[in-house]
Amino acid sequence: MEYTLVGPLSSFIFLPSLSLVGKTFSTKCDSSPLPLPTKYVNVEKELIINAKPTEVEIALLEQSRLVELHYQKTNNNFTVGDIFLGKIKRLMPGLNAAFVEIGHKKDAFLHYTDLGPKLRSLIKFTNGAISGEIGTPLLENFKMEPEIIKTGKIDQVLEKRSHLLVQILKEPISTKGPRLSCEITIPGRYLVLTPFSNVVAVSKKIGNAEERKRLQLLVDSIRPKNFGVIVRTAAEGKKVADLHDELRYMMQKWESIHSQLHKAKAPAKLLSELDKTSSILRDVLSDSFNRIVVNDKELHHNIKNYLASISPEQVKIVQHYKSNKPVFDSYGVSRQIKSSFGKTATMNSGAYLVIEHTEAMHVIDVNSGHKMPSNNQEEAVLNVNLEAAGEIARQLRLRDIGGIIIIDFIDMKNVEHKKNLIKAMRQYMKKDRAQHTILPLSKFGLMQITRQRVRPELKINTAEICPSCKGTGKINPSILLTDEVERDLSFIHQSRPKSPLSLHLHPYLAAFIKRGLPSMQIRWYFKYQKWVRIKEVSDFSMTEYKFYDENEDEIRLN
């Protein structure tokens, strides 16, 4: 099976053909001049999920190219979108903000601008639900309170030690606690429910005016009174039954919040956002998804059940990965992680990016490398800048870089080329789910981008300390490495003679152990009367190896 990739050179990482679950995938690209990103066709998406005992790693691939990487700790109690009943600990008039206790080691931050105009109605409903005076979650007979003004002061609308319904806007970053909002939203795949509002807003990404009007009238006719709705892009073309079912599902969540508020004591979590896997599926799942691969049986079952509820026709794309080889290695994710993170990111043409991080902003420098053709310098510079724009857009998503980003492209004098570059960057960034603003090139040739930051930037140190020399530059004689492996095997056999064993090591060392007749692996079988399974791990260094028992727990010899 082959995929033919059509588009800018910057859009793809060219890897050798990979044998994936019995099928060989290869990549090709046309050799025509770099077009604008609008030439993209049939972008196929894959979600590769690597479940571990303490965390879940999620990789989003577009045309086999890594564009997003997410980690979720199994004990993470604070996720963007979670709703809490908090207690106001301190009011800070100087900052026009409050600090709220929600159970985090650092009090959460709530600024006046995040209170929302319907704050008084929210406080009235919260207090009424806690005391039992408001016995229904519906707001048909609820009397709305006057809105607060945008230029007000925090101590005029909030009181110390009072209870407040809040939602996490940003996860804890660095030394800061979570950031909160009082504008409660309950998101679904097609709609977002906003209590204490009567506004129906349709996503700007739905360009068809008739479809926008249809969705607005449709949603307005089925929404409950005093509940606003935001219509997401995925709702385009959907039937009333699909939207009504989701609206009913979101109302059930609101009913759950109301029932938990009765006699509740702060801090208390009332509604947990979906786990990372499900929330990504909800936000990015589209018809262009052609594969979801997960290596954990229970998670595979949960994902199929979730997809059955939101998109039954796509349940068949979920695959349970059963091979002994790590799932990220099979789909080329590990290799792309190693090549994509770090200070320098190299592109296919030989050009490269230098990415620097400061306290206030991120700075990206575009360098042409040594392979720029000299026959048409202006066209060559444009092509390098277009390739860099695609890679920068990918890096922003992949590393989840937020805040202010300054990009120093290679200088261009041609005005049309500058316009093409800006147009290309905006087209590349359309796939980015984070809110962002792109400014035109300044007179110094710098492009400024601001990008929403809701969680800490993803940083992966791809430099490795040699496990053999521990950074000293000296290792034990490599010719004696197999003797060392066999000594450890002999020791383990004496302590647990009947226990199944597996040996994880670098592919080169594995090939040495399995070569020849009889191979070292076969000699071990006759000597110890047990078959030692060999598992190749490309992440290991040349001389690194580990033994594991039948439960895949590492046998530590130190």
Side-chain angles (χ1 to χ4, degrees):
M1 184 175 181
E2 278 191 347
Y3 293 117
T4 301
L5 310 185
V6 182
L9 294 175
S10 59
S11 306
F12 315 109
I13 287 180
F14 297 105
L15 298 174
S17 296
L18 301 174
S19 179
L20 309 182
V21 196
K23 296 181 180 179
T24 301
F25 293 71
S26 64
T27 54
K28 296 180 181 177
C29 185
D30 61 348
S31 57
S32 57
L34 271 172
L36 285 175
T38 49
K39 299 288 184 182
Y40 274 176
V41 293
N42 300 327
V43 176
E44 294 184 340
K45 297 179 181 178
E46 299 170 296
L47 207 63
I48 313 299
I49 302 166
N50 181 27
K52 296 180 178 180
T54 59
E55 67 178 0
V56 177
E57 299 174 315
I58 305 159
L60 175 62
L61 308 183
E62 292 179 358
Q63 299 288 47
S64 301
R65 189 166 183 257
L66 181 64
V67 293
E68 289 186 25
L69 189 62
H70 302 268
Y71 291 87
Q72 182 186 29
K73 298 284 185 182
T74 54
N75 60 351
N76 187 8
N77 295 321
F78 296 91
T79 304
V80 172
D82 287 353
I83 297 175
F84 286 82
L85 177 65
K87 180 189 288 187
I88 298 172
K89 294 292 290 293
R90 286 176 293 162
L91 296 175
M92 305 292 289
L95 297 174
N96 206 17
F99 285 96
V100 183
E101 181 186 0
I102 62 169
H104 191 260
K105 60 183 179 181
K106 287 187 176 292
D107 290 337
F109 182 79
L110 176 63
H111 194 267
Y112 186 90
T113 53
D114 294 320
L115 294 177
K118 308 293 184 180
L119 176 70
R120 291 193 177 99
S121 298
L122 177 71
I123 293 174
K124 178 182 175 181
F125 179 85
T126 304
N127 292 335
I130 292 172
S131 64
E133 292 178 12
I134 298 178
T136 173
L138 299 177
L139 304 176
E140 292 175 354
N141 301 317
F142 181 81
K143 185 179 178 183
M144 302 290 285
E145 295 295 313
E147 295 185 359
I148 64 172
I149 60 174
K150 291 183 178 179
T151 55
K153 298 297 181 183
I154 195 83
D155 52 0
Q156 295 172 347
V157 293
L158 293 180
E159 296 178 2
K160 190 177 178 182
R161 289 187 291 275
S162 61
H163 288 172
L164 191 61
L165 200 62
V166 292
Q167 188 168 25
I168 293 188
L169 196 62
K170 292 183 180 180
E171 289 181 11
I173 296 175
S174 185
T175 58
K176 302 173 183 176
R179 181 158 183 170
L180 304 177
S181 172
C182 287
E183 295 187 271
I184 305 299
T185 59
I186 300 175
R189 189 183 178 200
Y190 308 125
L191 308 172
V192 179
L193 189 68
T194 57
F196 313 107
S197 171
N198 284 295
V199 175
V200 176
V202 181
S203 169
K204 294 178 181 178
K205 292 183 180 179
I206 299 177
N208 188 305
E210 290 184 6
E211 177 64 5
R212 290 174 63 85
K213 188 175 181 180
R214 180 188 80 89
L215 288 170
Q216 188 157 26
L217 293 173
L218 182 61
V219 171
D220 197 36
S221 66
I222 63 175
R223 70 175 179 86
K225 186 180 178 182
N226 289 329
F227 283 91
V229 176
I230 301 169
V231 182
R232 306 183 74 169
T233 311
E236 188 171 8
K238 296 301 175 183
K239 298 177 182 177
V240 62
D242 296 328
L243 303 181
H244 188 267
D245 287 345
E246 184 166 89
L247 195 59
R248 185 170 53 191
Y249 175 67
M250 291 188 293
M251 283 301 296
Q252 289 174 356
K253 289 187 175 183
W254 177 251
E255 290 167 9
S256 172
I257 291 172
H258 172 266
S259 62
Q260 291 179 77
L261 278 174
H262 185 52
K263 296 183 178 179
K265 294 183 179 180
K269 182 187 284 191
L270 304 179
L271 180 68
S272 180
E273 175 62 298
L274 296 167
D275 62 78
K276 182 76 77 174
T277 308
S278 300
S279 64
I280 290 173
L281 282 174
R282 181 193 67 202
D283 293 342
V284 305
L285 187 67
S286 64
D287 294 337
S288 61
F289 260 90
N290 66 320
R291 187 184 290 109
I292 298 171
V293 182
V294 57
N295 67 341
D296 181 78
K297 186 176 181 181
E298 183 179 351
L299 190 55
H300 170 259
H301 178 71
N302 293 342
I303 291 173
K304 290 189 76 169
N305 287 342
Y306 179 68
L307 276 185
S309 66
I310 67 166
S311 184
E313 68 279 3
Q314 290 184 290
V315 171
K316 61 181 180 293
I317 70 175
V318 185
Q319 300 176 6
H320 182 205
Y321 182 83
K322 298 179 181 178
S323 171
N324 288 331
K325 189 176 182 180
V327 64
F328 272 15
D329 286 358
S330 288
Y331 287 86
V333 177
S334 297
R335 183 184 181 92
Q336 292 192 54
I337 290 173
K338 293 285 187 184
S339 65
S340 300
F341 287 86
K343 182 179 177 180
T344 303
T346 305
M347 295 171 281
N348 297 311
S349 67
Y352 60 95
L353 308 176
V354 179
I355 304 172
E356 297 278 5
H357 310 272
T358 71
E359 189 70 25
M361 67 183 69
H362 296 78
V363 181
I364 302 175
D365 185 35
V366 180
N367 292 279
S368 61
H370 304 292
K371 299 180 182 178
M372 184 182 289
S374 57
N375 52 352
N376 190 334
Q377 196 72 19
E378 287 191 3
E379 285 294 329
V381 167
L382 174 62
N383 285 347
V384 169
N385 280 341
L386 287 175
E387 185 183 17
E391 180 62 19
I392 289 167
R394 170 178 172 262
Q395 288 285 342
L396 298 185
R397 289 174 68 188
L398 184 57
R399 303 183 188 216
D400 208 2
I401 294 174
I404 300 172
I405 301 112
I406 306 295
I407 306 167
D408 183 11
F409 284 104
I410 301 173
D411 290 339
M412 296 185 296
K413 295 179 181 179
N414 189 310
V415 176
E416 280 302 312
H417 287 180
K418 290 181 179 180
K419 289 180 180 178
N420 284 347
L421 178 59
I422 296 165
K423 184 179 178 181
M425 178 58 84
R426 287 177 176 158
Q427 192 71 25
Y428 280 119
M429 293 289 287
K430 273 189 176 180
K431 298 177 187 175
D432 198 333
R433 290 179 288 131
Q435 295 179 11
H436 57 270
T437 303
I438 302 171
L439 298 181
L441 290 167
S442 71
K443 64 180 181 180
F444 299 115
L446 303 176
M447 182 181 288
Q448 299 176 60
I449 298 177
T450 61
R451 187 176 182 274
Q452 179 189 22
R453 177 168 60 183
V454 296
R455 55 183 60 88
E457 176 194 341
L458 182 60
K459 293 181 180 179
I460 298 177
N461 184 10
T462 55
E464 300 174 352
I465 296 176
C466 174
S468 301
C469 73
K470 311 298 182 189
T472 63
K474 305 286 185 181
I475 65 169
N476 293 328
S478 55
I479 196 171
L480 303 178
L481 182 61
T482 53
D483 295 345
E484 187 179 337
V485 173
E486 186 154 4
R487 278 198 301 271
D488 289 344
L489 176 59
S490 177
F491 176 79
I492 293 170
H493 178 70
Q494 291 173 12
S495 58
R496 45 178 85 188
K498 296 183 180 180
S499 175
L501 289 178
S502 62
L503 175 59
H504 296 204
L505 32 66
H506 190 276
Y508 286 161
L509 187 54
F512 182 81
I513 289 175
K514 292 192 289 185
R515 76 172 187 175
L517 283 174
S519 67
M520 191 175 293
Q521 187 180 23
I522 293 173
R523 291 203 303 269
W524 289 346
Y525 175 74
F526 287 113
K527 182 176 181 179
Y528 301 110
Q529 298 299 304
K530 74 167 63 176
W531 184 254
V532 180
R533 290 188 299 115
I534 304 295
K535 186 172 182 179
E536 300 176 9
V537 184
S538 57
D539 278 352
F540 280 16
S541 71
M542 291 282 201
T543 59
E544 187 177 3
Y545 65 91
K546 293 178 182 177
F547 284 97
Y548 289 81
D549 61 19
E550 67 274 18
N551 298 319
E552 289 299 311
D553 292 327
E554 183 184 349
I555 301 172
R556 300 186 180 275
L557 299 172
N558 294 333

